[in-house]
Amino acid sequence: MQLNPRHVGRYRQIAMLLLRHGRGDLVSSSGLDDILSPDELPPGDVAAAEGLASELEAMGPTFVKLGQLLSSRVDLLPQAYTDALARLQDDVEPFGFDEVEQIVSSELGVRLSRAFCRFDHVPIAAASLGQVHRAAMRDGREVVVKVQRPGIRQQVLDDMEVLGEIAGFVEAHSETGRRYAVADLLEQFRKSLVDELDYQREARNLVLLRDLVSERPLIVVPSPIEDYTTSRVLTMDYVPGKKVTDLGPLGRLDLDGAGLADALIGAFTQQVLVAGVFHADPHPGNVLLTPDGRLALIDLGMVGHIPVPMRDQLIKLIMALLSGRPDDVSRVARTLGTELPGFDELAFERSVTDVVLRATQTSIADLDTGAVMLELARQSARAGLQLAPELSMLGKAMLNLDQVARTLDPTFSPQQALQRHTAEAMRAGMSMSPASVMAGLMEAKEFVEALPGRVNRAMDAVASGRFEMRVKVFDETEFLRGLHKLANVIAAGLVLAALMIGAALLARPGVDGPTVESRIALAVFVVSAVGALVLLARIGWQSRRVQASDRHADRRS
């Protein structure tokens, strides 16, 4: 492994980290072969896990963010470590106001005093990537300005270079590194960190999430101010409020906690299952309770994305988990994951059944769907099934939402709300928009127009003796008989479909009422529908005959 002299200090820190929390021979030998292996890390060593979290905090923002990412990867680390890393904080001393003024002025291209009539010198929050100041614009609009820490981009680039060298070496020389796709994990981390460093992307996330919750009056998302936002400076509306965790028993008396919690769960479900974009870090510190009794979602630097095919599978997975169907959970989980070499299907099925049964034995009020999803990911990894990283991120987000909901109302059941909102999302997904209907009609029109030409070409090929079909079967006579029946059914179905579509296209009532053509079209449509029902009934009857024949043959054998 070639070491870059510029990064000697970082190499030394990482080596000491591995010596204390990995295996002692990982640095001394050429292996690094079982780095962060779940089997090697003590699953219950809470003190060691807390020590790892503290050392990552001391190594700077890049490693704090890496720890936060690893806290969602229950398939890689034992629970003691993921719990400790989930509590990582990146609170640091704020940088000076002179640097703030220089950054804001250079990014906006105007003096600070010209852009704002007031700009507080003391930040209201400071973190490793940036800090936030209250300010007021020239028109009196109250805002907050998020300013990126000077030099942080270069520091992150240097750290990512070091981590990239190590990850490449580990994956090239370690079976565990290849098994857990260390390089892919690092690439996921790099994209997440680059997104957090781009404040313009965070502004777009704010706009997207604001539009998604626009019909939910109890949820508010601050609006960014485009002209005052760059990649290093983000200006947005100031939303007054206090953290949900600061809410006491007396504060809940005048609060509709159940309504707020239900609105929060509903907004999150809509984000995940309908829009495919969700707030990936909705921990209690990122949810504020406003003076007018609403919930404000802030800090949208980390956003998760769910592809369209995965959304449908997620709905199935959540409904199967909540209704206690382990077979369906296993089937959906396998479609959402990657089977690694040595995948143990029997162990996987047993683990899933155990997870689902333990969940169903828990009362619906005490059930944590986020915790169940994280445990499912953990057990899947042990059996050799690597679930999509989005599932672990989603499970962690749902775990945080459960905590927020129960803080707002200790008697509230997030799982009942999740089940109800998931069913609503499923119904929304089944509805057809006018655009999808028109697209279907256009495809049907193209099919009907192309059908005669295709049939003519097929008939010409048959008539000229050029139609060939090469099939290797054990009983060619029986196969050809079945093929003939199948061709008849398909031809009949195509004719009926063409008649129904043609009738639908012709069924245009005139100004003075139904015309002759519309009546003919209606009659053709009814006849076609009846024919389709008869065809379906015949197919079902033949299927039952075949099944009965197979059962009779089995009894004879």
Side-chain angles (χ1 to χ4, degrees), residues 519-531:
R519 290 192 179 95
I520 295 175
L522 178 62
V524 172
F525 185 86
V526 171
V527 171
S528 302
V530 172

Side-chain angles (χ1 to χ4, degrees), residues 451-467:
L451 182 61
R454 292 172 180 171
V455 173
N456 286 337
R457 287 193 295 272
M459 293 299 101
D460 290 343
V462 172
S464 61
R466 292 184 288 106
F467 186 84

Side-chain angles (χ1 to χ4, degrees), residues 103-118:
I103 293 172
V104 174
S105 298
S106 63
E107 288 292 315
L108 300 184
V110 64
R111 290 201 312 271
L112 192 68
S113 58
R114 295 289 300 274
F116 303 94
C117 66
R118 191 192 80 248

Side-chain angles (χ1 to χ4, degrees), residues 154-188:
Q154 187 58 48
Q155 182 181 345
V156 168
L157 289 175
D158 291 343
D159 289 340
M160 290 305 303
E161 184 179 347
V162 173
L163 291 172
E165 292 171 354
I166 294 175
F169 182 80
V170 169
E171 190 157 316
H173 296 82
S174 161
E175 180 60 33
T176 301
R178 289 187 290 272
R179 179 181 179 87
Y180 289 102
V182 175
D184 290 343
L185 174 65
L186 184 66
E187 179 62 18
Q188 177 194 356

Side-chain angles (χ1 to χ4, degrees), residues 4 6 33 73 87 133 170 232 239 278 343 345 347 350 402 429 441 513 515 521 538:
N4 190 325
R6 294 191 301 114
D33 51 347
R73 295 305 301 270
R87 292 189 289 271
H133 294 257
V170 169
R232 298 177 63 200
V239 180
F278 65 96
F343 170 64
E345 182 176 359
R350 284 199 300 262
D402 289 346
L441 289 175
T515 62
R538 180 177 177 80

Side-chain angles (χ1 to χ4, degrees), residues 32-227:
L32 288 177
D33 51 347
D34 290 318
I35 182 173
L36 294 179
S37 170
D39 297 329
E40 297 295 331
L41 290 169
D45 195 344
V46 178
E50 294 290 348
L52 173 62
S54 299
E55 291 184 59
L56 288 175
E57 280 183 333
M59 292 176 69
T62 306
F63 293 89
V64 169
K65 296 297 181 182
L66 178 61
Q68 291 173 345
L69 172 67
L70 289 174
S71 69
S72 67
R73 295 305 301 270
V74 296
D75 53 333
L76 298 179
L77 298 177
Q79 185 172 358
Y81 283 80
T82 56
D83 290 346
L85 295 176
R87 292 189 289 271
L88 271 174
Q89 299 295 323
D90 57 359
D91 292 331
V92 296
E93 288 294 322
F95 52 95
F97 183 74
D98 291 341
E99 292 179 296
V100 171
E101 186 173 15
Q102 189 275 325
I103 293 172
V104 174
S105 298
S106 63
E107 288 292 315
L108 300 184
V110 64
R111 290 201 312 271
L112 192 68
S113 58
R114 295 289 300 274
F116 303 94
C117 66
R118 191 192 80 248
F119 199 102
D120 292 357
H121 287 216
V122 179
I124 59 177
S128 56
L129 299 185
Q131 60 191 39
V132 180
H133 294 257
R134 281 196 63 179
M137 301 183 65
R138 284 292 175 182
D139 59 0
R141 184 176 180 180
E142 289 290 325
V143 297
V144 293
V145 183
K146 187 175 181 179
V147 185
Q148 195 169 106
R149 186 172 290 273
I152 190 63
R153 291 195 176 195
Q154 187 58 48
Q155 182 181 345
V156 168
L157 289 175
D158 291 343
D159 289 340
M160 290 305 303
E161 184 179 347
V162 173
L163 291 172
E165 292 171 354
I166 294 175
F169 182 80
V170 169
E171 190 157 316
H173 296 82
S174 161
E175 180 60 33
T176 301
R178 289 187 290 272
R179 179 181 179 87
Y180 289 102
V182 175
D184 290 343
L185 174 65
L186 184 66
E187 179 62 18
Q188 177 194 356
F189 169 60
R190 186 194 66 79
K191 290 180 179 178
S192 174
L193 194 52
V194 168
D195 287 349
E196 285 200 63
L197 287 171
D198 184 0
Y199 288 173
Q200 287 181 319
R201 179 180 291 272
E202 183 173 350
R204 291 194 293 270
N205 293 338
L206 286 168
V207 173
L208 177 60
L209 193 58
R210 182 198 63 196
D211 293 342
L212 287 176
V213 301
S214 60
E215 297 182 0
R216 299 182 183 273
L218 294 178
I219 306 295
V220 59
V221 175
S223 298
I225 301 172
E226 184 178 355
D227 293 339

Side-chain angles (χ1 to χ4, degrees), residues 56 191 217 290 314 340 397 439 446 505 525:
L56 288 175
K191 290 180 179 178
T290 64
L314 270 178
L340 302 174
E446 292 175 1
L505 294 175
F525 185 86

